[in-house]
C-alpha cells in the first residue's frame, strides 16, 4: 500500500532544473535510499515531500492519517530546552507527567510526611502507567545513550551542532512515524552509533526515505534505490550493491544503443546524399525516418568529478610528532603521543565524538599548540587540510563571492596530472560546476556543493600531505568513489579522520584508535581488519576472565572438602514445603489483585481526604512488600525443586 505518491512533479530553480516529471510511490514496507550528485536536488525532494518546499507543478499525495517526520541536516531546536524536554516536545501529556513526577519525588525527599504530595504522586504514577509514559522515558534514555548522549538535563544551547543533530535524530525515532524522511542521519555519529542506528532501522516497521553518503549503511538498510540524474528519476528494486550492478549494465546498454543508432543514421544519411530519382511512398517514409533519427537525443552518461591535479615532490622528512599531550578543562585528550609519518602513509584516525581527533589534526597543522611536546614538519611539506567545517567557513566568509572568483584566488590556471595547464573555469567543469553555476554566488550552492568546491581548492594547492577531517560529510557517493580512486594514486602521505567505514576500508592501511586517557593505539590494516583485531581481543579477554573464574572455583573446592567429608547435596523439598510451593502461586496472584484494587481506590479518594489517602498508600506499599517476599520464597523453593 502506498503512503506517499508523486505525480508529474516538477521543480526548477532557474539556474538548475531539479525535477522534470517525477513519478514514484513509497510503500509502507519501503526502505529507500535517495542518491545523486551534490546539488541534484536530493534534499529539495525530501523537503517537498515533507511539505516545506512547494512544487512548481504536479502533486504529492500523502495517505490520509499517515504520520510523516522529517529529519533535516541542520535541525532547528529550542536552545532553552533541556535534552529530555526537547525529546518530549511533541508529547505534551507525557512530558508534563514525567516532569511533575520528578518534581514531586524531589519534594517528597525533603517532606516525606506531606500527605498532599503523596496523594498527588500516586495519581501521577497511575496516569504514567495508563499512558505508557514510563516506557517512553526509558526508551528515550536508551536511544540517547546509544547515540552518545548521557546528560539528559543539559540545555540545548550549550551543545555543538553534532550533538543537536543526534538529539533531533532521537526525537524522530521516538515519534514512531509511518514515514521517516532522513537527510544524512549518520553525519556526526561515530562508528558504533552508526552500527546501532543501522540495526535499529532494520527493525523499523514504517517506511523509510533517506539520503546518506555511508555506502555500507545504504547497502544494509535499504531495499530500494532512487537516483536523481539531471532532473530525471530512476528506480532500482534492491540495495546499493544491486544498484551499482544494474547501473553499470544500463550505462553499457545506453552506450551500445547510441553507437548502433549512430551507425544506422550514418548509413541513412549516405543514402540521402545519393539523391534517389524515384520518390515512392516507401522512399518518402525512409526520408521521414532519417529526419526523426537526426532529432533523437541520447542522454549522456552522468558526469563524474574529474580529480586530476599535478603532484608535488615530497622529501624523506614528512611530519615528526614528539611526545605531544593536550588537555581541556582537566580532561586529557592526547597523552604522550609520538609518531613519525612517512611519504607512503595511509592512516585512518578513529574514536568517539569529542575524543580529540580534530584537535590532533589542528596540532599537526599548527592551528593549536600542544601542552607539551612538539610537531616538526619537513621543509618540502605542503599540507592540504580538508576541514570538516569547511563549508561553514566558506559560507560565512565568502557568501556573496562568485564560485569562479573563489577558485581564481588559488590560481588562474591549474596544472593537471599529465602536465598540461587548464583554466580555473575548465577545472570547475571537471568538478561538475557548469558555466552558469560558476558565476553564481557561493551561498546559492548546496552544502555538498560547497564541500566539493572547497575540496577542489585544497587539491589545486598541490599538497603532498593530505589531511581529510570527515571528508564524507555531505559529499555524494559518486564524488567519494572518485576521491577514493584519486587517493590510491596520490604521491604523498594521507591522514583521514572519519567514521565512514567504507571510505576507511578503501583508503587506509593503518588505524590509530583513540582509547581511554588520551592514548592513541596503532592497528595495522584498514577499518574491517581493526574490527577483527578488536573482536579477537574481546574474545581473549572473555576467555581469560572465564579461566580466572574457573581457577577460583577450583581453588575453593579443597577448602569446602576439608569442612565436609561428603560433597554437599542439594536438599529436597519436604512435604510441607511442597504444599507451601503449590499455594504460593495463588497467593501471589491474590496479592496482585488486592494491590490493584487498593490503587484504584487511591485514585477515587475525594479531594481533601488526606487520612484515607495515607491509609491506602500504606496499604499499597505493604502489599508490594508482601508480593516481593512471596515471590522471593517461591523462587527459593523452585530452585530446590529443579
Amino acid at each position: 500500500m502506498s503512503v506517499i505518491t508523486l505525480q508529474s512533479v516538477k521543480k526548477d530553480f532557474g539556474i538548475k532544473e531539479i525535477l522534470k516529471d517525477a513519478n514514484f510511490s513509497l510503500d509502507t514496507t519501503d526502505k529507500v535510499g535517495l542518491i545523486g550528485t551534490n546539488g541534484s536536488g536530493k534534499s529539495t525532494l525530501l523537503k517537498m515531500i515533507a511539505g516545506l518546499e512547494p512544487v512548481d507543478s504536479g502533486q504529492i499525495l500523502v495517505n490520509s492519517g499517515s504520520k510523516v517526520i522529517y529529519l533535516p541536516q541542520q535541525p532547528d531546536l529550542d536552545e532553552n530546552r533541556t535534552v529530555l524536554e526537547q525529546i518530549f516536545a511533541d508529547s505534551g501529556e507525557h512530558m508534563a507527567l514525567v516532569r511533575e513526577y520528578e518534581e514531586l519525588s524531589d519534594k517528597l525527599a525533603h517532606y516525606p510526611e506531606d500527605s498532599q504530595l503523596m496523594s498527588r504522586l500516586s495519581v501521577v504514577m497511575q496516569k504514567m502507567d495508563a499512558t505508557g509514559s514510563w516506557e517512553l522515558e526509558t526508551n528515550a534514555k536508551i536511544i540517547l545513550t546509544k547515540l552518545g548522549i548521557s546528560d539528559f538535563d543539559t540545555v540545548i544551547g550549550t551543545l555543538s551542532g553534532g550533538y543537536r543533530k543526534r538529539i533531533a535524530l532521537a526525537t524522530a525515532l521516538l515519534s514512531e512515524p509511518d514515514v521517516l524522511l532522513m537527510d544524512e542521519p549518520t553525519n556526526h555519529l561515530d562508528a558504533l552509533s552508526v552500527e546501532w542506528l543501522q540495526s535499529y532501522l532494520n527493525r523499523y516497521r514504517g517506511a523509510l526515505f533517506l539520503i546518506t553518503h555511508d555506502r555500507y549503511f545504504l547497502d544494509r538498510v535499504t531495499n530500494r534505490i532512487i537516483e536523481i540524474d539531471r532532473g530525471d528519476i530512476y528506480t532500482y528494486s534492491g540495495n546499493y550493491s544491486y544498484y551499482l550492478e544494474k547501473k553499470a549494465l544500463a550505462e553499457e546498454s545506453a552506450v551500445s544503443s547510441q553507437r548502433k543508432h549512430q551507425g544506422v543514421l550514418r548509413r541513412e544519411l549516405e543514402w540521402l546524399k545519393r539523391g534517389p530519382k524515384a520518390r515512392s511512398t516507401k522512399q518518402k517514409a525512409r526520408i521521414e525516418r532519417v529526419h526523426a533519427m537526426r532529432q533523437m537525443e541520447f542522454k549522456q552518461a552522468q558526469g563524474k568529478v574529474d580529480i586530476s591535479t599535478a603532484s608535488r615532490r615530497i622529501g624523506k622528512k614528512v611530519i615528526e610528532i614528539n611526545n605531544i599531550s593536550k588537555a581541556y578543562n582537566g580532561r586529557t585528550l592526547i597523552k604522550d603521543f609520538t609518531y613519525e609519518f612517512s611519504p607512503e602513509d595511509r592512516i585512518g584516525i578513529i574514536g568517539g565524538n569529542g575524543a580529540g581527533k580534530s584537535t590532533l589534526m589542528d596540532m599537526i597543522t599548527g592551528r593549536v599548540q600542544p601542552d607539551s611536546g612538539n610537531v616538526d614538519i619537513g621543509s618540502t611539506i605542503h599540507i592540504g587540510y580538508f576541514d570538516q567545517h569547511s563549508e561553514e567557513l566558506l559560507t560565512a566568509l565568502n557568501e556573496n563571492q562568485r564560485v569562479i572568483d573563489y577558485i581564481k584566488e588559488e590560481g588562474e590556471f591549474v596544472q593537471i596530472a599529465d602536465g598540461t595547464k587548464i583554466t580555473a573555469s575548465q577545472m570547475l567543469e571537471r568538478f561538475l560546476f557548469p558555466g552558469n553555476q560558476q558565476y553564481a554566488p557561493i551561498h546559492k550552492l548546496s552544502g555538498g556543493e560547497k564541500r566539493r568546491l572547497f575540496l577542489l581548492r585544497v587539491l589545486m594547492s598541490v599538497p603532498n600531505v593530505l589531511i581529510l577531517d570527515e571528508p564524507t560529510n555531505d559529499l555524494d557517493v559518486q564524488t567519494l568513489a572518485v576521491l577514493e580512486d584519486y587517493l590510491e594514486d596520490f604521491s604523498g602521505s594521507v591522514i583521514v579522520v572519519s567514521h565512514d567505514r567504507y571510505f576507511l576500508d578503501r583508503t587506509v592501511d593503518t588505524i590509530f584508535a583513540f582509547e581511554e586517557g588520551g592514548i592513541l593505539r596503532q592497528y595495522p590494516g584498514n577499518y574491517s581488519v581493526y574490527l577483527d583485531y578488536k573482536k579477537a581481543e574481546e574474545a581473549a579477554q572473555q576467555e581469560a576472565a572465564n579461566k580466572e573464574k574457573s581457577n577460583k572455583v577450583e581453588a575453593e573446592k579443597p577448602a569446602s572438602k576439608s569442612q565436609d567429608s561428603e560433597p554437599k547435596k542439594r536438599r529436597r523439598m519436604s512435604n510441607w514445603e511442597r504444599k507451601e510451593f503449590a499455594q504460593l502461586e495463588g497467593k501471589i496472584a491474590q496479592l496482585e489483585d488486592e494491590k490493584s484494587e487498593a490503587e484504584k481506590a487511591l485514585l477515587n479518594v475525594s479531594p481533601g481526604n488526606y487520612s484515607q489517602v495515607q491509609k491506602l498508600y500504606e496499604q499499597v506499599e505493604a502489599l508490594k512488600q508482601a508480593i516481593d517476599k512471596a515471590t522471593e520464597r517461591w523462587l527459593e523453593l523452585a530452585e530446590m525443586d529443579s
Side-chain angles (χ1 to χ4, degrees):
M1 177 179 142
S2 297
V3 284
I4 292 176
T5 303
L6 271 72
Q7 296 180 345
S8 301
V9 173
K10 296 182 180 180
K11 186 68 177 177
D12 193 329
F13 283 132
I15 62 170
K16 184 181 294 184
E17 190 174 29
I18 300 298
L19 292 175
K20 294 178 181 177
D21 186 28
N23 294 277
F24 71 86
S25 61
L26 192 67
D27 292 341
T28 53
T29 58
D30 274 341
K31 288 184 168 61
V32 178
L34 180 61
I35 64 174
T37 58
N38 290 131
S40 61
K42 301 187 297 294
S43 295
T44 300
L45 177 54
L46 284 194
K47 289 175 183 176
M48 287 193 292
I49 295 174
L52 302 175
E53 181 75 36
V55 300
D56 291 343
S57 64
Q59 57 182 340
I60 298 177
L61 305 175
V62 180
N63 193 27
S64 177
S66 294
K67 184 179 180 181
V68 179
I69 293 294
Y70 168 57
L71 176 70
Q73 288 193 47
Q74 304 295 333
D76 184 19
L77 307 181
D78 187 337
E79 297 196 349
N80 297 315
R81 287 176 177 155
T82 65
V83 172
L84 270 186
E85 286 172 345
Q86 181 64 47
I87 288 289
F88 293 122
D90 296 325
S91 307
E93 184 183 9
H94 295 295
M95 187 63 231
L97 287 171
V98 171
R99 188 185 293 115
E100 187 174 3
Y101 169 77
E102 291 176 348
E103 289 174 355
L104 288 168
S105 298
D106 184 59
K107 288 177 181 177
L108 274 171
H110 295 88
Y111 308 104
E113 305 300 326
D114 192 321
S115 57
Q116 284 183 294
L117 289 175
M118 198 174 296
S119 174
R120 183 57 192 165
L121 181 65
S122 297
V123 173
V124 170
M125 290 169 66
Q126 290 294 323
K127 286 184 178 179
M128 289 181 72
D129 282 334
T131 58
S133 297
W134 293 112
E135 183 180 355
L136 186 64
E137 183 187 23
T138 301
N139 288 342
K141 290 180 177 178
I142 289 172
I143 290 175
L144 286 167
T145 301
K146 291 293 186 181
L147 295 175
I149 298 172
S150 55
D151 190 349
F152 310 127
D153 295 320
T154 301
V155 177
I156 301 291
T158 64
L159 297 174
S160 67
Y163 277 98
R164 295 184 192 197
K165 178 68 177 282
R166 285 184 245 172
I167 292 166
L169 173 57
T171 305
L173 296 178
L174 277 165
S175 65
E176 297 184 345
D178 300 295
V179 182
L180 187 52
L181 310 173
M182 310 176 82
D183 196 347
E184 295 290 0
T186 62
N187 276 7
H188 307 294
L189 295 184
D190 57 36
L192 290 177
S193 296
V194 170
E195 288 181 9
W196 173 83
L197 179 60
Q198 179 179 291
S199 175
Y200 185 96
L201 293 178
N202 279 330
R203 301 190 305 271
Y204 176 64
R205 294 181 181 178
L208 184 66
F209 198 23
L210 65 89
I211 301 168
T212 181
H213 61 266
D214 190 320
R215 285 152 289 177
Y216 280 153
F217 189 87
L218 199 60
D219 203 44
R220 293 165 187 175
V221 170
T222 62
N223 57 22
R224 192 170 158 215
I225 297 293
I226 290 180
E227 180 184 24
I228 302 180
D229 179 5
R230 288 160 289 181
D232 292 323
I233 292 283
Y234 300 92
T235 299
Y236 300 83
S237 298
N239 62 4
Y240 183 65
S241 296
Y242 178 87
Y243 156 77
L244 289 176
E245 180 183 342
K246 295 301 178 183
K247 179 71 172 176
L249 290 173
E251 289 189 350
E252 287 176 12
S253 176
V255 170
S256 175
S257 296
Q258 188 172 358
R259 285 174 180 167
K260 183 178 179 181
H261 174 271
Q262 289 171 343
V264 172
L265 182 59
R266 191 179 301 111
R267 289 192 295 273
E268 292 294 296
L269 285 171
E270 288 173 358
W271 175 83
L272 274 180
K273 288 175 182 177
R274 288 199 295 269
K277 296 177 182 178
R279 291 296 180 183
S280 67
T281 302
K282 184 176 180 181
Q283 290 169 330
K284 287 179 181 178
R286 190 171 180 180
I287 292 169
E288 289 173 359
R289 186 175 66 146
V290 173
H291 288 309
M293 289 182 70
R294 293 183 72 175
Q295 293 174 5
M296 189 180 296
E297 292 184 3
F298 282 85
K299 193 166 190 174
Q300 300 296 316
Q302 180 169 288
K304 292 183 179 179
V305 175
D306 182 5
I307 299 178
S308 175
T309 58
S311 59
R312 187 190 298 256
R313 188 183 72 84
I314 185 170
K316 292 182 179 179
K317 182 178 178 180
V318 183
I319 300 171
E320 295 178 359
I321 298 178
N322 303 304
N323 207 35
I324 63 171
S325 296
K326 189 68 181 178
Y328 284 109
N329 299 321
R331 178 170 169 259
T332 300
L333 296 180
I334 300 164
K335 183 179 180 182
D336 301 331
F337 176 57
T338 296
Y339 185 76
E340 186 175 330
F341 289 90
S342 73
E344 299 82 22
D345 267 339
R346 297 287 188 275
I347 292 173
I349 299 178
I350 63 173
N353 288 290
K357 305 183 295 296
S358 294
T359 300
L360 177 60
M361 298 304 98
D362 286 341
M363 285 196 288
I364 290 174
T365 56
R367 296 184 181 185
V368 173
Q369 293 303 312
D371 295 338
S372 60
N374 64 359
V375 177
D376 190 11
I377 298 176
S379 59
T380 62
I381 298 305
H382 183 86
I383 296 175
Y385 189 11
F386 187 57
D387 189 339
Q388 64 171 310
H389 302 296
S390 55
E391 79 282 2
E392 296 173 15
L393 295 172
L394 195 62
T395 301
L397 299 177
N398 304 280
E399 60 177 8
N400 293 316
Q401 188 177 23
R402 296 185 305 179
V403 171
I404 185 72
D405 294 332
Y406 175 75
I407 288 301
K408 282 183 176 180
E409 286 180 351
E410 190 63 44
E412 294 276 350
F413 294 90
V414 185
Q415 184 173 329
I416 57 177
D418 62 6
T420 60
K421 285 188 176 183
I422 62 174
T423 65
S425 179
Q426 289 172 316
M427 195 64 183
L428 278 166
E429 286 180 357
R430 287 172 174 244
F431 263 63
L432 304 188
F433 291 102
N436 60 340
Q437 214 176 12
Q438 293 179 19
Y439 289 89
I442 288 173
H443 68 78
K444 290 281 189 181
L445 303 181
S446 70
E449 287 173 321
K450 290 172 187 172
R451 294 277 283 171
R452 194 187 331 131
L453 181 65
F454 190 79
L455 174 62
L456 169 58
R457 181 153 171 175
V458 168
L459 297 180
M460 281 177 60
S461 68
V462 195
N464 47 25
V465 172
L466 259 179
I467 297 178
L468 307 174
D469 191 358
E470 296 294 0
T472 63
N473 284 359
D474 297 327
L475 286 181
D476 58 73
V477 292
Q478 293 92 335
T479 301
L480 289 176
V482 176
L483 177 58
E484 288 158 359
D485 290 337
Y486 170 80
L487 292 178
E488 282 185 10
D489 300 323
F490 179 71
S491 56
S493 187
V494 177
I495 307 167
V496 178
V497 176
S498 183
H499 63 269
D500 189 315
R501 302 157 294 175
Y502 191 102
F503 190 81
L504 287 171
D505 279 352
R506 281 285 315 268
T507 58
V508 307
D509 53 28
T510 303
I511 293 289
F512 286 179
F514 273 82
E515 300 189 348
E516 288 294 326
I519 303 300
L520 266 169
R521 188 173 173 190
Q522 298 177 31
Y523 294 85
N526 61 17
Y527 184 76
S528 291
V529 174
Y530 159 78
L531 286 181
D532 291 338
Y533 272 106
K534 295 301 289 183
K535 287 175 184 175
E537 283 180 3
E538 289 170 6
Q541 289 170 1
Q542 186 62 46
E543 186 180 348
N546 292 339
K547 189 174 181 181
E548 184 180 348
K549 186 177 180 181
S550 177
N551 291 339
K552 188 176 180 181
V553 171
E554 290 295 325
E556 290 174 353
K557 279 184 179 179
S560 57
K561 197 170 182 180
S562 63
Q563 293 171 5
D564 289 309
S565 56
E566 293 294 328
K568 222 171 189 177
K569 293 181 180 178
R570 181 179 292 168
R571 185 171 73 80
R572 305 293 297 174
M573 273 198 233
S574 66
N575 290 335
W576 181 84
E577 287 170 329
R578 197 172 299 281
K579 184 179 179 182
E580 181 189 7
F581 181 63
Q583 293 173 341
L584 272 172
E585 195 164 321
K587 183 180 178 181
I588 292 170
Q590 182 184 345
L591 289 169
E592 289 282 5
D593 289 340
E594 290 178 16
K595 173 175 165 285
S596 180
E597 289 299 321
E599 287 173 337
K600 287 179 183 176
L602 186 60
L603 281 174
N604 295 322
V605 175
S606 58
N609 194 346
Y610 304 131
S611 60
Q612 183 66 8
V613 168
Q614 180 68 25
K615 181 181 177 181
L616 287 170
Y617 181 79
E618 290 174 356
Q619 185 181 344
V620 170
E621 291 301 311
L623 286 167
K624 284 181 180 177
Q625 292 178 14
I627 292 167
D628 290 343
K629 186 176 180 181
T631 304
E632 188 177 341
R633 176 61 176 163
W634 185 89
L635 290 169
E636 181 183 339
L637 292 172
E639 180 68 22
M640 292 169 62
D641 192 46
S642 61

